[in-house]
Amino acid sequence: DLKTSLQQVRRSLKIGSTGYASPIARRHVFGAPPAQSPNVVLVLLESMSWDRTGLSGNPANLTPYLDSLAKSSVLFNNFYSNGIHTNAGIYSSLYSMPIRMMEHPMNNGRSEYTQFSGLPVSLQKMGYSTTFFCTHPKTFDNLDIFLEKNGFDYVSDLSDYPKEVIANSWGVGDESLYGLALQRLDSLDSAPVQKPFFATLLSISTHPPFTLPPFTAFTSDHPDPVAKTYQYADWSLRHFMTEAAKKPWYDNTIFIFLGDHGVNLQEHYKYDVPLSYNHIPFIIHCPARFPKARVIEKMGNQTDIFPTVMGMLGREYVQNTLGYDLFRETRPYAMFSQDHKLGVIDNQFLYIARKSGLESLVDYRAGTGEDLSRLYPNRMEQMRNFASSQLQTSQYLIENKLTK
């Protein structure tokens, strides 16, 4: 029931009496704010599964730059996307809300008429300029309506590029995306009225049809077109960061890299919820703040990006989401949707709930597909209750216009 769901969520997030209309809203205070507000650049990497990277032990060397970047940054190695579609990655990463099975979170007949809190909204209120960069028309996935209503000053899309740089049906390639972003960030940094900036970049080149721009200087002799696009995406990212490092705004910028979701590598798994679809890298790169590399083993979800970044900024704010600050808090489980299936995961077990009603519990560390629910019924119930209460609470907030 709803009352139990709300109680479980509040207990998990350690929420006491708040005084807000929303049952989960709470104010975070960090003491004196920093003298200078850092910029934030968040890069959502299309289909960047943990299993595709060298961080997983994959020997294919598809992402050498991303792998090296992770080894000089803060790396969260047990991090999961909330869904398996780009729209879900945008929604959960920016607005800190979980994904319901078989639902488009930004275009479902309800959410597009709802105002949310989250990273762009909070930063916009704090005086940041906010820009979203994509490679295709911003009308796709209802991006323009949803994002411009929820914290973004400007959504850059295909119309901002000359026709000759269009690569395929998804618009321009990653190198064009990063090139335009660098120009815009330079102009924001040198504007007459100085504001810190928040930018979200949505890459595309590792999306089907896996074709590269005809004009690119990138070369690869890899015979697999899919692998070649991952190498190209990594090459483009290297160029972006190399150029960014030359900019006057670089040292005062927090860079965040993560997959919007993973890829379905079902052949590698003995159960029907391949973790490759949701297990993604999450990297925070800011040498001025984190001069030494760190690996954080905590479970994390895209919903945790908002409070984690806000905690890094050290500015007082109200959090009205289901995310955890991964530097200060510990989430008991990560959870995700794979359309007809729901997954809940800890450091040993994966609980699976299916639309058909069938449930199971597998020991994913052991690599077997055996259903162990009969041996660990209490663990399964705890994982089920965690996910159910999170989803029911988020739905309650949306239905009652309490998400702002």
Side-chain angles (χ1 to χ4, degrees):
D1 65 278
L2 177 62
K3 182 179 179 180
T4 302
S5 292
L6 294 174
Q7 287 174 342
Q8 290 188 357
V9 167
R10 288 168 59 87
R11 189 181 308 117
S12 177
L13 291 168
K14 296 181 172 57
I15 300 173
S17 177
T18 65
Y20 295 99
S22 167
I24 66 165
R26 62 273 194 203
R27 182 173 295 276
H28 293 283
V29 181
F30 302 97
Q36 186 179 22
S37 295
N39 309 304
V40 180
V41 175
L42 189 154
V43 183
L44 282 168
L45 300 165
E46 170 64 40
S47 300
M48 190 55 70
S49 171
W50 177 268
D51 287 23
R52 290 286 201 210
T53 71
L55 302 169
S56 70
N58 186 333
N61 199 33
L62 302 181
T63 59
Y65 177 71
L66 187 67
D67 300 343
S68 67
L69 188 67
K71 294 172 183 176
S72 61
S73 310
V74 180
L75 170 67
F76 294 82
N77 62 359
N78 284 307
F79 195 83
Y80 291 82
S81 68
N82 285 78
I84 58 172
H85 304 287
T86 297
N87 56 67
I90 295 170
Y91 176 76
S92 292
S93 298
L94 295 178
Y95 301 103
S96 204
M97 296 289 277
I99 302 300
R100 287 162 56 94
M101 289 186 282
M102 296 302 295
E103 184 169 278
H104 189 314
M106 297 186 294
N107 190 15
N108 57 25
R110 181 174 57 249
S111 292
E112 64 265 40
Y113 303 109
T114 304
Q115 288 189 298
F116 289 82
S117 61
L119 198 52
V121 177
S122 292
L123 293 183
Q124 188 182 56
K125 289 178 180 178
M126 292 177 179
Y128 279 67
S129 61
T130 55
T131 309
F132 186 96
F133 295 89
C134 63
T135 63
H136 48 67
K138 62 185 178 181
T139 52
F140 182 77
D141 266 345
N142 205 40
L143 288 181
D144 54 341
I145 301 297
F146 192 91
L147 297 179
E148 290 172 359
K149 185 176 64 182
N150 285 294
F152 280 101
D153 300 327
Y154 184 70
V155 178
S156 172
D157 74 342
L158 184 61
S159 64
D160 289 329
Y161 299 90
K163 291 183 179 179
E164 57 267 25
V165 301
I166 296 176
N168 52 42
S169 57
W170 288 105
V172 303
D174 285 2
E175 59 187 297
S176 297
L177 169 76
Y178 293 136
L180 177 64
L182 286 168
Q183 293 176 23
R184 292 290 174 89
L185 299 183
D186 278 346
S187 104
L188 289 171
D189 184 64
S190 60
V193 178
Q194 284 292 307
K195 288 183 173 183
F197 56 74
F198 169 60
T200 299
L201 285 64
L202 176 63
S203 78
I204 197 65
S205 294
T206 45
H207 192 289
F210 305 115
T211 55
L212 303 182
F215 60 83
T216 183
F218 167 77
T219 59
S220 171
D221 58 2
H222 203 295
D224 179 7
V226 177
K228 190 177 294 187
T229 59
Y230 276 87
Q231 292 177 333
Y232 167 76
D234 191 71
W235 174 86
S236 300
L237 185 63
R238 180 190 296 273
H239 180 72
F240 170 66
M241 290 301 290
T242 300
E243 292 302 309
K246 302 174 185 177
K247 306 295 184 181
W249 44 264
Y250 175 82
D251 287 336
N252 189 42
T253 301
I254 298 170
F255 293 90
I256 299 166
F257 305 93
L258 71 152
D260 63 342
H261 52 78
V263 291
N264 185 354
L265 301 176
Q266 179 65 74
E267 65 273 16
H268 296 168
Y269 296 87
K270 296 181 180 179
Y271 40 88
D272 61 340
V273 174
L275 294 181
S276 61
Y277 228 161
N278 297 91
H279 190 190
I280 56 174
F282 175 44
I283 299 166
I284 299 176
H285 182 73
C286 184
R289 182 173 298 224
F290 301 114
K292 294 183 179 180
R294 294 173 59 187
V295 176
I296 295 179
E297 304 279 348
K298 288 181 178 180
M299 286 287 163
N301 266 141
Q302 288 171 326
T303 49
D304 302 326
I305 293 172
F306 167 46
T308 299
V309 172
M310 295 303 292
M312 292 174 63
L313 299 182
R315 298 277 297 274
E316 180 177 337
Y317 77 107
V318 175
Q319 183 187 358
N320 186 30
T321 75
L322 294 161
Y324 294 75
D325 181 341
L326 295 179
F327 287 121
R328 294 175 173 85
E329 300 172 313
T330 299
R331 73 161 41 247
Y333 309 104
M335 55 182 282
F336 50 82
S337 164
Q338 287 191 6
D339 285 349
H340 289 90
K341 299 159 192 170
L342 169 75
V344 185
I345 190 169
D346 62 14
N347 60 9
Q348 181 180 1
F349 291 108
L350 170 65
Y351 162 71
I352 305 167
R354 301 165 182 84
K355 278 284 189 179
S356 65
L358 180 65
E359 299 175 290
S360 58
L361 187 75
V362 298
D363 184 345
Y364 72 94
R365 294 290 188 190
T368 68
E370 181 184 1
D371 179 15
L372 302 176
S373 57
R374 69 192 184 283
L375 299 178
Y376 303 96
N378 291 338
R379 179 71 67 91
M380 189 169 82
E381 182 179 11
Q382 290 168 0
M383 299 173 94
R384 179 200 299 120
N385 288 345
F386 176 83
S388 298
S389 62
Q390 292 268 317
L391 293 170
Q392 188 160 343
T393 296
S394 68
Q395 198 67 12
Y396 168 78
L397 296 176
I398 291 170
E399 290 174 352
N400 290 277
K401 306 292 185 183
L402 295 173
T403 52
K404 187 174 179 181

